[in-house]
């Protein structure tokens, strides 16, 4: 370390050696804690398991002793022999004393009378003098009296001599069991059977062998050493009769001993690694002073990246927030700050059709066009995705922001050249002006966002200035969303009405299912109000499934008619929609070929792979597909050629102008000719007059729909509607 200043050494030790040493100590402590806690817990679990084994074994011995005793005590021959005044000791010895010893290893068997006097005694299966009961009788005097009085069997532990024993006492011929009444022996003298099984060294040796316990023994006192564990044996009264002591298996301790050498080796490796790391850090620290200038340069670059968008080079959201706050704070009386929030229309379509590289080029070109419109003091920022924002401070009039929005829209409408393709774009712009609309940065941004979404809802490629009623509209839409979510829980207030579709002769051939919502407070809410909200919030998915379920029930009642159900693009973009629709129709016992799914042209134009796959799967399942509002959007023969549809529905706007506008009549005729050429059914919507009906029938329309035939009616009114149509048709015949 020659030539190195003491201050450098001190700082190196403080910032490198001390943390490394602390890290080593922390790792050592952590490893030690983990090993010790894990192995200790393992030992504890093993001891608890062995203690449970002993408890289960003792409980099992008591249970077996009681069951074995009951098998004899309930025996009618034994009951008669015990009640006989001239006790047949030989018979009892053979069928009770010897049998219980040979069969169940009962060590002592006694028959005593109600006063506790022994009438018969057997030890190790051999009959002995009844006086041998005396030692045991002193222990059991109270127990015998209780069993004699109640008839309930007693099974428990006691200490007999120097050993614990399991004892059972039961009235012969009368043992009460749960759910099983004892035998009625009121006419016989009370005799009790007393069984004793010693938990002696032989029993403990068997238990030790079967349960793999080491050095199991009985002790009158708890004399377990540090290497041993004990468990107390108690009488039914709770009085201790001694302890079972054993040497537990300690797998954690064994594991700890096995892994300690490995831990020491790991720690040695860590010490060596940290030594090498400290050496390398020392060399790096010496080179650090030579890199100060480079670091300062990179710091400036990092500062730029922290506040600018990597793709376009424009300020990002963080810098935008700062610039907007500064612009609002610097506003002088009479000045305004304009905020324009832009969202590029159908940007996802560019990504999906031309790829993400083309999408990036689109964003870069849009950023350059916006920057070209900015004047000194303006800020153009990219908030993320396809959202841009433009801040213009120092405006004199509110109309200045509108003029800027017109210029922005015109710039975006110019063709974009992306990877050999010419793309025409557009943008939806929301305008908020401070201090007219808001003075707070967050409020101003929120209101620009509200205005931008209003522009999108009105058809895109336009700008909208924030108006106070927009905020109320947003709040109202949120209320509608919340209440619709509640209504969907039990479908309260929701109903499906059905509008008929007729053939040229006026006969009903199908029904279109249309949802209706009657609010308990506000009354009827039109679909134009709640359907867009349902699509924005995703509620259209459960709502659409509920409508399909109701429509299937109605279609099942009228199997001769097709049932048309409208589909939202949001439903089709749901990955499992096709599967759910098929399941609903199958559960409703409805034929899929009876269901006609109406989609708009926008779904086909979007060319979304998820939607296309869903439509293809539904067609394979047997569903029919109708193209609704044909002629109002992006009608193209290429779409009809690429996507199989069974029907096209002429939009009501052409029907309404059919008798007054030659262009509408020409369009209807062209659509009918197109349908015939391609073998597609053509339906006209919005038929309200007989003149319109006549013109459409003459043009060759296959089906008609409109108020001329009927408004949408509830399912309960369909039978009356069909009857009314039959009467009307019959009256029109010559």
């Amino acid at each position: 370390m020659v030539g190195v200043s003491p201050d450098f050494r001190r700082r190196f030790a403080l910032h490198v050696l001390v943390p490394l040493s602390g890290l080593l100590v922390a790792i050592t402590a952590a490893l030690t804690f983990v090993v010790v806690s894990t192995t200790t817990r393992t030992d504890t679990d093993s001891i608890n398991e062995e203690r449970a084994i002993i408890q289960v074994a003792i409980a099992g011995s008591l249970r077996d002793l009681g069951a074995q005793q009951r098998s004899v005590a309930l025996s009618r021959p034994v009951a008669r022999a015990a009640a006989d005044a001239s006790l047949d000791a030989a018979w009892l010895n053979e069928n009770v004393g010897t049998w219980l010893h040979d069969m169940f290893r009962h060590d002592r068997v006694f028959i005593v009378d109600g006063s506790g006097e022994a009438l018969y005694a057997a030890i190790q299966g051999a009959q002995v003098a009844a006086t041998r009961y005396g030692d045991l009788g002193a222990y059991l005097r109270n127990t015998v009296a209780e069993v004699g009085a109640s008839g309930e069997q007693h099974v428990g532990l006691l200490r007999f001599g120097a050993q614990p024993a399991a004892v059972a006492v039961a009235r012969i011929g009368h043992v009460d069991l749960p759910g099983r009444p004892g035998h009625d022996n009121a006419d016989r003298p009370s005799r009790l059977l007393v069984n004793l099984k010693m938990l002696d060294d032989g029993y403990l040796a068997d238990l030790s062998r079967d349960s793999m316990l080491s050095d199991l023994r009985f002790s009158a006192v708890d004399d377990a050493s540090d290497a041993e564990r004990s468990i107390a044996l108690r009488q039914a009264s709770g009085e201790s009769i001694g302890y079972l002591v054993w040497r537990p298996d300690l797998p954690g301790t064994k594991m700890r001993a096995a892994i300690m050498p490995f831990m020491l080796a790991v720690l040695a490796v860590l010490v060596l690694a940290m030594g090498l790391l400290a050496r390398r850090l020392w060399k790096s620290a010496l080179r650090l002073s030579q890199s100060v200038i480079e670091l300062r340069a990179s710091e400036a670059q990092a500062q730029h990246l922290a506040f600018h968008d990597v793709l376009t080079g424009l300020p990002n959201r963080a810098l935008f927030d700062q610039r907007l706050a500064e612009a609002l704070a610097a506003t002088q009386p009479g000045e305004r700050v304009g905020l324009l929030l832009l969202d590029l229309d159908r940007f996802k379509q560019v990504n999906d059709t031309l790829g993400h590289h083309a999408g990036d080029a689109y964003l870069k070109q849009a950023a350059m066009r916006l920057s070209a419109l900015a004047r000194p003091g303006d800020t153009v920022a990219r908030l993320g995705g396809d959202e841009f924002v433009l801040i213009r401070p120092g405006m004199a009039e509110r109309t200045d922001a509108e003029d800027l929005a017109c210029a922005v829209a015109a710039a975006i409408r110019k063709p974009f050249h992306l990877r050999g393709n010419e793309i025409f774009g557009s943008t939806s712009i929301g305008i908020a002006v401070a201090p007219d609309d808001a003075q707070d940065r967050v409020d101003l941004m929120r209101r620009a966002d509200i205005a931008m979404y209003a522009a999108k809802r009105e058809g895109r490629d336009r700008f909208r200035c924030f108006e106070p009623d927009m905020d109320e509209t947003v709040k109202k839409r949120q209320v509608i969303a919340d209440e619709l979510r509640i209504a969907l829980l039990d479908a309260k207030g929701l109903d499906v009405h059905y509008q008929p579709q007729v053939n040229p002769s006026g006969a009903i051939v199908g029904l279109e299912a249309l949802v209706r919502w009657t609010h308990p407070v506000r009354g009827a809410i039109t679909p134009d109000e709640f359907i867009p909200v349902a699509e924005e919030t995703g509620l259209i998915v459960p709502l659409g499934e509920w409508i399909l379920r109701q429509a299937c029930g109605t279609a099942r009642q009228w199997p001769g008619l097709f049932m048309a159900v409208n589909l939202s693009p949001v439903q089709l973009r749901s990955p499992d929609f096709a599967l759910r629709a098929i399941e609903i129709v199958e559960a409703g016992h409805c034929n899929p070929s009876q269901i006609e799914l109406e989609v708009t042209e926008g779904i086909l134009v979007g060319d979304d792979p998820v939607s296309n796959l869903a439509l293809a799967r539904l067609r394979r399942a047997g569903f029919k597909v109708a193209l609704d509002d044909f002629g109002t959007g992006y009608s193209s023969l290429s779409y009809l050629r690429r996507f199989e549809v069974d029907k096209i529905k002429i939009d009501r706007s052409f029907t309404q102008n059919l008798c007054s506008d030659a262009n509408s009549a020409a369009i209807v005729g062209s659509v009918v000719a197109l349908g015939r050429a391609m073998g597609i059914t053509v339906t006209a919507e919005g038929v309200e007059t007989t003149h319109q009906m006549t013109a459409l029938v003459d043009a060759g329309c296959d089906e008609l729909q409109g108020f001329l035939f009927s408004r949408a009616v509830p399912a309960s009114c369909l039978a009356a509607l069909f009857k009314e149509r039959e009467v009307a048709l019959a009256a029109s015949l010559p």
Side-chain angles (χ1 to χ4, degrees), residues 340-363:
L340 277 66
L341 181 62
L342 298 77
D343 187 271
L344 299 179
D345 297 331
R346 301 183 181 88
F347 172 71
K348 183 178 182 298
Q349 183 179 345
V350 175
N351 269 340
D352 292 343
T353 55
L354 300 180
H356 289 282
H357 291 295
D360 290 346
Y362 186 23
L363 293 173

Side-chain angles (χ1 to χ4, degrees), residues 652-681:
R652 67 181 62 249
S653 61
F654 300 110
T655 303
Q656 298 296 319
N657 299 321
L658 186 61
C659 299
S660 58
D661 184 3
N663 290 332
S664 295
I667 291 174
V668 170
S670 299
V671 172
V672 171
L674 173 65
R676 286 183 175 176
M678 301 186 69
I680 299 174
T681 302

Side-chain angles (χ1 to χ4, degrees), residues 40 57 102 119 127 133 218 230 234 271 275 333 360 381 389 391 433 460 544 612 614 643 651 666 681 692 711:
T40 301
D102 293 344
L119 305 176
Q127 183 180 0
Y133 174 70
F218 174 76
S230 64
R234 299 184 183 278
V271 171
D360 290 346
V389 67
I391 306 171
V433 177
R460 298 185 176 92
N612 297 343
F643 301 96
D651 186 70
T681 302
Q692 293 169 352
R711 294 181 178 272

Side-chain angles (χ1 to χ4, degrees), residues 121-136:
I123 297 178
Q124 302 297 328
Q127 183 180 0
V128 297
T131 56
R132 296 290 296 273
Y133 174 70
D135 294 338
L136 180 62

Side-chain angles (χ1 to χ4, degrees), residues 47 124 271 369 522 596 611:
I47 292 170
Q124 302 297 328
V271 171
R369 296 182 187 185
R522 295 199 298 272
E596 187 176 276
S611 301

Side-chain angles (χ1 to χ4, degrees), residues 74 121 180 197 251 298 302 309 368 419 433 436 454 478 488 633 636 646 659 696 699:
L74 290 175
R180 178 180 175 183
K197 187 171 184 177
S298 62
D309 176 54
M368 288 189 293
R419 300 173 66 86
V433 177
D436 301 0
Q478 183 60 49
L488 278 171
S636 171
D646 303 282
C659 299
L696 291 168

